[in-house]
């Protein structure tokens, strides 16, 4: 039996925490040694002779990096106004913790602000304030921090990492194994005994690795054996374990295996918790996940997972053996422990627990079930778990029928949050999964290709988007046939893309195919058939085939009226399209009542919000101008501006449409000096929006260039026209008809300036 140590460790004295504090772990009452590195941190942060660089505590897994950061935070808590812990292993948790800091410090106007705004607000605060400490735990690479840390820090930064090479802008603090005296001191305290010689022998056997020492100390405390008995068990176990891992020291593996044996003998069900956590992200393994996992694990474990008292009991068992830490509702597991668990399991067990992990995360990671709908399960943590289980599932070759759906959920969540680059990655992983499992022409692969095309189109990568649209269509045609409804849907998507890109000839051909598919499969009077008919008519209108387009518009409107009633929003769309066609015929008086009816429908269905009827108002204003009814057109525009301003504010971006229409009406009447400030106001509002060269800037810039040309201010006209071309080239491409028109305008401006040679072949340079 162990000898009692009368001088066993006492709890740390109470610490006064700063007003802002979120360190997720309590102070470790068993913390031992590390005086040298703690002194270096203190000296570096409080030296006035040199700039304070971020301090990087680097070393292998299980060496104690995180514990040093925690200990420093508690020791120095009183000198800071804010101490903030950031989970930096994954960018989702890092951004989430930055957002939480920004919210705590009242740096955000609302919680919905975009990623860049959140990061910029925190960086600005960090630059302009002092007496703060940031701890970024488990950073993968230096480049992961470039967006987050300001160039000039007003406070202090501690980074923990396993990455060994850092730039000169960081101060590196390599962390090595404990000294023998530190190991002995820790074991005496952790095991609550007084046998320095026995502690020294155990420390030598374990190689002074802190995580192995913690496992041994917890084992000694829980089993109440002495150092001699532990050494005997350790040596016997080490000789039995023939396989040495390259991922962690063999002595750590032996200490871990001893703990597992003890739990297996006493509380075997507790091991299920440890096995499941080995296939999840190490941060924030929430207790509610286990109740979700209960349906995917074997009965003995399922009963424990679904019973809160049993779950708490088994987690406590793992805590006593030093295998997990419990913080409120979350479990924390050391990366090295997770690696040792996975390597310990047999092949079939690995597959079984990896399968349970991916099915659990797939079950909870779906739209509408995160961020509040399920207490304790937050999107950022779930995404880290999802990324982790995907990697493990691919490695173990299980749950292949689940992984594609999980990847699709991950992709959709990313896309909704504007993370297009990462969403693209998951789309491509999803596509690769289906191609490897089912072949490159499986309908599921076609669906993924179609969704990927849509994402790429949103990201303005037009050539790639078109390639994936066509790939999706080819898959559906070859596997399902030319007349399948799914084929019709994908054909429709490609046609919409081509029409938006200005390829109206091919778009019309494809829309005609869609119309035929829907008419044959759904009937002539079907809602979707009418929509296809409307789309076909729009494309015919664009290519100038007005005679065929008109009866198609009228037929689509009539079908919608019969199926949806006389005031459905789709009818308003059809009426506006018909009015545009009549305008092309020069039948302005006939077009006007259609415009007015469409506006009335949209007002009814939008609660009178002119923001939602702007398209109809714009068409009506254009028709009125063509009839020479400038006073009516101007009156409608001024009324729209007044209402929108009263609801959104004078300088709100929503006012841009109404202001532009008014400026254009004044411009058409030759009221150039009245129109100019309105154009400039619209331009300013669009420039203030976060997405840079907003696509709506092109017509404003183009109109301004024409106005300045009319005023003889040719240099201003050229400048604005060239900028319009830049926006159009980026948004629509160099061959789009609108880009061609703007290039023609530039040519006219250059000719007026006497630049005849350049006018013959203008560029946007």
């Amino acid at each position: 039996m162990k000898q009692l140590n009368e001088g066993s460790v006492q709890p740390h004295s109470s610490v006064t925490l700063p007003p802002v504090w979120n360190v997720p772990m309590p102070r470790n009452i068993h913390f031992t040694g590390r005086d040298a590195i703690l002194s270096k941190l203190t000296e570096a942060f409080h030296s006035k002779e040199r700039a304070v660089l971020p301090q990087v505590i680097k070393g292998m897994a299980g060496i104690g990096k995180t514990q040093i950061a925690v200990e420093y935070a508690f020791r120095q808590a009183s000198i800071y106004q804010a101490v903030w812990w950031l989970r930096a292993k994954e960018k989702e948790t890092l951004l989430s913790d930055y957002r939480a800091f920004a919210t705590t410090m009242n740096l955000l106007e609302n919680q919905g602000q975009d990623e860049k705004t959140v990061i910029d607000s925190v960086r600005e605060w960090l630059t302009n304030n002092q007496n703060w400490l940031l701890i970024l735990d488990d950073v993968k690479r230096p480049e992961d921090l470039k967006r987050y840390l300001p160039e000039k820090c007003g406070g202090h930064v501690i980074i923990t990492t396993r990455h060994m090479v850092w730039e000169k802008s960081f101060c590196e603090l390599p962390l090595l194994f404990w000294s023998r005296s530190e190991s002995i001191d820790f074991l005496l305290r952790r095991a609550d005994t007084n046998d320095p010689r026995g502690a020294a022998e155990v420390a030598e056997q374990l190689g002074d690795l802190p995580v192995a020492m913690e496992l041994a100390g917890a084992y000694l405390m829980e089993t109440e054996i002495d150092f001699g008995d532990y050494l005997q068990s350790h040596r016997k176990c080490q000789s039995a374990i023939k396989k040495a891992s390259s991922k962690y020291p063999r002595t750590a593996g032996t200490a871990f295996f001893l703990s597992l044996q003890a739990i297996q003998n006493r509380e075997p069900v507790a091991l299920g918790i440890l096995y499941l956590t080995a296939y999840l992200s190490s941060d924030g393994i929430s207790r509610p996940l286990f109740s979700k996992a209960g349906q995917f694990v074997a009965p003995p474990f399922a009963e424990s997972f679904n019973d809160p008292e049993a779950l708490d009991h088994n987690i406590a068992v793992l805590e006593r053996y030093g295998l997990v830490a419990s913080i409120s509702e979350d479990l924390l597991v050391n990366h090295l422990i997770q690696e040792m668990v996975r390597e310990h399991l047999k092949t079939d067990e690995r597959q079984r627990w990896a399968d349970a992990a991916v099915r659990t995360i797939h079950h909870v990671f779906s739209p509408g079930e995160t961020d509040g709908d399920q207490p304790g399960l937050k999107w950022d943590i779930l995404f880290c778990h999802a990324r982790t289980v995907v990697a493990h599932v691919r490695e173990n070759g299980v749950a292949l029928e689940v992984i594609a759906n999980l990847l699709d959920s991950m992709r959709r969540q990313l896309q909704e949050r504007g993370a297009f680059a990462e969403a693209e990655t998951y789309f491509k992983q999803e596509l690769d999964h289906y191609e490897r499992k089912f072949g490159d022409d499986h309908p599921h692969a076609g669906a993924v290709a179609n969704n990927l095309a849509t994402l790429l189109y949103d990201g303005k990568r037009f050539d790639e988007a078109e390639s994936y649209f066509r790939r999706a269509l080819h898959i559906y045609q070859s596997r399902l046939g030319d007349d399948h409804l799914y084929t019709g849907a994908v054909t429709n998507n490609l046609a919409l893309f081509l029409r938006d890109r200005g390829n109206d000839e091919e778009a019309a051909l494809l829309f005609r195919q869609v119309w035929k598919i829907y008419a044959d499969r759904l009937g002539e009077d079907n809602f979707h058939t009418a929509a296809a008919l409307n789309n076909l008519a729009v494309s015919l209108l664009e290519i100038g085939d007005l005679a065929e387009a008109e009866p198609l518009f009228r037929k689509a409107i009539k079908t919608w009226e019969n199926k949806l009633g006389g005031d459905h929003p789709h009818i308003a769309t059809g009426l506006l399209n018909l009015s545009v066609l009549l305008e092309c015929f020069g039948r302005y008086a006939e077009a006007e009542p259609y415009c007015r009816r469409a506006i009335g429908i949209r007002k009814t269905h939008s609660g009178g919000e002119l923001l939602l009827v702007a398209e109809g108002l714009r068409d009506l204003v254009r028709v009125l101008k063509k009839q020479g009814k400038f006073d009516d057109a101007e009156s409608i525009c001024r009324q729209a501006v007044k209402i929108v301003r009263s609801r959104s504010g004078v300088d709100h971006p929503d006012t841009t449409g109404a202001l532009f229409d008014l400026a254009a009406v004044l411009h058409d009447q030759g009221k150039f000096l009245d129109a100019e400030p309105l154009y400039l106001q619209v331009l300013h509002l669009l420039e203030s929006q976060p997405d840079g060269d907003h696509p709506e800037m092109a017509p404003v810039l183009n109109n301004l260039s024409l106005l300045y040309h009319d005023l003889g201010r040719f240099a201003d006209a050229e400048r604005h026209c060239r900028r319009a071309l830049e926006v159009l080239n980026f948004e629509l491409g160099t061959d789009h008809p609108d880009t061609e028109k703007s290039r023609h305008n530039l040519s006219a401006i250059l000719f007026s300036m006497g630049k005849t040679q350049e006018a013959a072949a203008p560029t946007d340079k």
Side-chain angles (χ1 to χ4, degrees):
M1 298 292 291
K2 68 178 181 180
Q3 302 176 42
L4 296 180
N5 175 14
E6 295 179 0
S8 59
V9 65
Q10 298 297 316
H12 289 286
S13 58
S14 61
V15 175
T16 302
L17 301 180
V20 178
W21 172 274
N22 82 323
V23 176
M25 286 162 272
R27 195 172 188 181
N28 184 357
I29 63 172
H30 301 295
F31 186 87
T32 301
R34 300 305 195 187
D35 293 332
I37 196 165
L38 287 166
S39 296
K40 288 180 180 179
L41 284 172
T42 303
E43 180 184 354
F45 285 148
H46 299 287
S47 173
K48 297 182 179 179
E49 298 180 359
R50 59 183 181 274
V52 180
L53 299 176
Q55 303 294 302
V56 179
I57 304 173
K58 63 180 188 178
M60 64 179 288
I63 204 74
K65 304 178 292 296
T66 297
Q67 286 299 322
I68 291 174
V70 171
E71 179 65 17
Y72 178 85
F74 276 99
R75 287 191 185 187
Q76 302 295 328
S78 62
I79 71 171
Y80 294 108
Q81 290 298 309
V83 175
W84 204 256
W85 191 279
L86 298 141
R87 298 160 296 171
K89 181 181 178 182
E90 306 289 355
K91 72 175 187 178
E92 288 79 23
T93 51
L94 180 55
L95 177 61
S96 176
D97 290 345
Y98 256 74
R99 186 181 293 276
F101 180 78
T103 300
T104 300
M105 306 306 292
N106 296 316
L107 305 180
L108 303 178
E109 294 181 3
N110 59 72
Q111 279 298 305
Q113 290 190 277
D114 62 90
E115 179 177 320
K116 183 177 185 301
T117 301
V118 172
I119 295 173
D120 288 347
S121 67
V122 174
R123 284 175 54 131
E124 182 179 1
W125 189 92
L126 296 175
T127 300
N128 297 326
N129 290 272
Q130 298 180 342
N131 298 329
W132 53 261
L133 171 66
L134 284 190
I135 301 172
L136 294 106
D137 187 41
D138 201 13
V139 176
K140 288 182 179 179
R141 298 170 298 272
E143 53 266 29
D144 295 341
L145 300 181
K146 289 184 178 179
R147 298 179 60 207
Y148 295 92
L149 296 180
E151 294 182 3
K152 179 183 177 183
C153 285
H156 302 156
V157 177
I158 293 176
I159 295 165
T160 72
T161 182
R162 284 175 278 175
H163 190 84
M164 300 308 291
V165 180
W166 288 73
E167 303 167 358
K168 293 182 179 179
S169 55
F170 299 89
C171 178
E172 300 180 39
L173 300 174
L175 190 61
L176 305 177
F177 293 88
W178 267 334
S179 67
R180 182 56 49 82
S181 61
E182 288 176 326
S183 297
I184 293 171
D185 187 31
F186 173 80
L187 285 173
L188 293 176
R189 293 181 175 216
R190 186 66 176 89
D192 193 16
T193 188
N194 185 21
D195 180 9
R197 178 177 295 179
E201 291 177 350
V202 171
E204 181 177 0
Q205 184 70 19
L206 297 178
D208 299 300
L209 177 64
V211 70
M213 224 70 70
E214 166 62 24
L215 290 172
Y219 183 94
L220 287 159
M221 189 72 178
E222 185 65 17
T223 60
E224 297 186 337
I225 65 173
D226 59 23
F227 288 126
D229 291 337
Y230 182 82
L231 279 172
Q232 185 177 359
S233 297
H234 190 277
R235 287 167 181 153
K236 184 185 298 183
C237 181
Q238 192 171 39
S239 62
I241 300 176
K242 298 179 180 180
K243 181 181 178 182
S245 173
S246 59
K247 297 180 180 179
Y248 52 85
R250 186 173 184 178
T251 52
T254 307
F256 164 77
F257 190 71
L258 278 176
S259 298
L260 246 60
Q261 279 187 326
I263 298 173
Q264 181 68 51
N265 293 333
R266 298 183 177 192
E267 303 277 0
V269 177
L271 292 179
I273 297 170
L274 191 63
Y275 296 159
L276 184 67
T277 61
Y279 292 93
L280 299 172
S281 175
S282 59
D283 289 330
I285 302 173
S286 182
R287 274 176 165 80
L289 275 179
F290 292 98
S291 64
K292 304 295 182 182
Q295 59 189 300
F296 305 116
V297 298
F301 302 111
E303 293 171 6
S304 172
F305 285 6
N306 290 317
D307 182 345
E309 291 186 5
L311 182 65
D312 288 343
H313 170 77
N314 287 314
I315 288 174
V317 171
L318 298 175
E319 285 187 281
R320 292 200 301 271
Y321 279 91
L323 293 168
V324 303
S326 180
I327 309 297
S328 184
E329 283 294 300
D330 291 344
L331 298 186
L332 303 180
V333 187
N334 187 287
H335 308 295
L336 188 57
I337 297 292
Q338 289 181 308
E339 288 180 2
M340 290 190 290
V341 170
R342 292 193 297 269
E343 189 151 323
H344 157 76
L345 292 172
K346 297 177 181 178
T347 300
D348 61 333
E349 292 175 315
R350 288 186 200 136
Q351 292 176 338
R352 192 158 56 244
W353 287 103
D355 182 270
V358 71
R359 292 183 188 278
T360 299
I361 299 303
H362 174 253
H363 178 64
V364 298
F365 196 91
S366 58
E369 294 189 352
T370 57
D371 287 339
D373 289 350
Q374 299 188 46
L377 301 177
K378 294 300 182 181
W379 180 86
D380 57 336
I381 293 295
L382 284 177
F383 197 91
C384 295
H385 288 319
R387 184 189 286 115
T388 302
V389 298
V390 165
H392 290 313
V393 164
R394 292 195 184 285
E395 180 180 340
N396 289 278
V398 296
L400 292 176
E401 74 281 8
V402 172
I403 189 171
N405 290 331
L406 176 57
L407 284 168
D408 187 55
S409 295
M410 295 166 71
R411 182 270 310 163
R412 281 186 278 115
Q413 294 274 355
L414 287 167
Q415 191 170 351
E416 289 173 6
R417 287 162 171 78
F420 292 105
E422 193 163 359
E424 179 188 348
T425 298
Y426 284 99
F427 258 134
K428 289 182 175 177
Q429 286 185 11
E430 193 178 347
L431 186 59
D432 176 68
H433 163 74
Y434 277 122
E435 288 178 341
R436 286 191 296 105
K437 183 167 178 59
F438 303 112
D440 59 7
D441 63 345
H442 192 276
H444 287 338
V448 177
N450 177 74
N451 291 339
L452 177 55
T454 303
L455 179 75
L456 293 168
Y457 186 38
D458 290 341
K460 298 178 175 46
R461 291 161 59 182
F462 305 121
D463 291 342
E464 293 174 82
E466 181 174 353
S467 174
Y468 278 104
F469 273 129
R470 293 189 184 279
R471 179 176 175 181
L473 180 57
H474 173 74
I475 291 172
Y476 276 105
Q477 287 175 331
S478 62
R479 290 298 297 269
L480 301 179
D482 292 339
D483 60 347
H484 196 280
L485 285 176
Y486 287 172
T487 304
V490 177
T491 304
N492 187 70
N493 290 345
L494 175 58
L496 289 170
F497 168 83
L498 293 171
R499 188 176 71 190
D500 289 345
R501 300 294 301 140
N503 188 349
D504 295 296
E505 294 281 355
E506 186 177 0
L509 291 173
L510 293 176
F511 279 130
R512 198 179 296 278
Q513 293 175 22
V514 176
W515 176 33
K516 185 177 186 305
I517 292 171
Y518 287 172
D520 291 344
R521 290 301 184 102
L522 302 175
E524 290 278 356
D525 60 347
N526 182 267
F527 166 84
H528 295 290
T529 306
L533 200 62
N534 178 76
N535 285 334
L536 171 58
V538 170
S539 291
L540 293 171
L541 173 62
E542 292 290 343
I543 63 177
D545 193 347
L546 307 183
E548 185 181 1
E550 181 176 356
L552 299 185
F553 277 134
R554 294 187 184 278
K555 184 175 181 179
I557 293 169
K558 184 177 180 180
T559 301
W560 279 329
E561 287 175 334
N562 291 336
K563 290 293 183 180
L564 305 174
D567 63 347
H568 193 276
H570 279 72
I571 296 171
T573 299
L575 290 168
L576 290 175
N577 288 338
L578 179 57
S579 72
V580 172
L581 180 141
L582 294 171
E583 183 184 347
C584 293
F585 274 126
R587 293 151 60 182
Y588 308 121
E590 189 178 349
E592 182 179 342
Y594 289 123
C595 285
R596 292 189 183 278
R597 182 186 169 194
I599 292 168
I601 293 172
R602 289 192 170 181
K603 283 184 177 181
T604 299
H605 285 272
S606 65
E609 286 285 350
L610 287 183
L611 303 181
L612 302 177
V613 301
E615 181 184 10
L617 288 170
R618 189 164 296 176
D619 287 344
L620 177 58
V621 167
R622 191 174 59 249
V623 168
L624 291 171
K625 287 193 299 181
K626 291 293 179 62
Q627 298 179 78
K629 299 179 180 180
F630 291 105
D631 290 342
D632 285 350
E634 183 177 339
S635 175
I636 290 173
C637 289
R638 291 191 183 279
Q639 182 184 10
V641 170
K642 182 178 179 180
I643 294 175
V644 175
R645 278 180 167 174
S646 69
R647 299 186 182 188
S648 301
V650 174
D651 294 325
H652 195 279
D654 285 341
T655 65
T656 55
L659 284 170
F660 178 77
D661 287 343
L662 177 57
V665 168
L666 295 171
H667 188 176
D668 289 339
Q669 296 179 76
K671 299 177 181 179
F672 302 137
L673 298 182
D674 292 333
E676 181 188 7
L678 293 177
Y679 280 138
L680 292 174
Q681 185 179 355
V682 174
L683 190 61
H684 171 73
L685 290 172
L686 292 173
E687 288 173 333
S688 66
Q689 295 186 42
D691 45 356
D693 282 341
H694 197 280
E696 293 181 11
M697 289 173 62
V700 183
L701 291 164
N702 188 68
N703 280 16
L704 262 175
S705 70
L706 294 175
L707 182 146
Y708 288 137
H709 182 269
D710 291 338
L711 290 173
R713 293 165 55 179
F714 300 127
D716 288 335
E718 180 187 359
R719 176 165 55 88
H720 285 84
C721 193
R722 289 191 184 278
R723 189 174 172 195
L725 264 174
E726 290 178 4
V727 176
L728 289 167
N729 280 334
F730 177 74
E731 293 291 337
L732 303 177
T734 58
D735 297 329
H736 194 277
D738 289 350
T739 311
E740 291 287 351
K741 290 177 184 178
S742 188
R743 194 175 292 113
H744 176 77
N745 290 342
L746 177 58
S747 179
I749 293 168
L750 293 171
F751 187 83
S752 297
M753 299 173 72
K755 300 180 179 180
T756 54
Q757 185 174 357
E758 188 176 354
T763 68
D764 55 348
K765 301 296 184 182

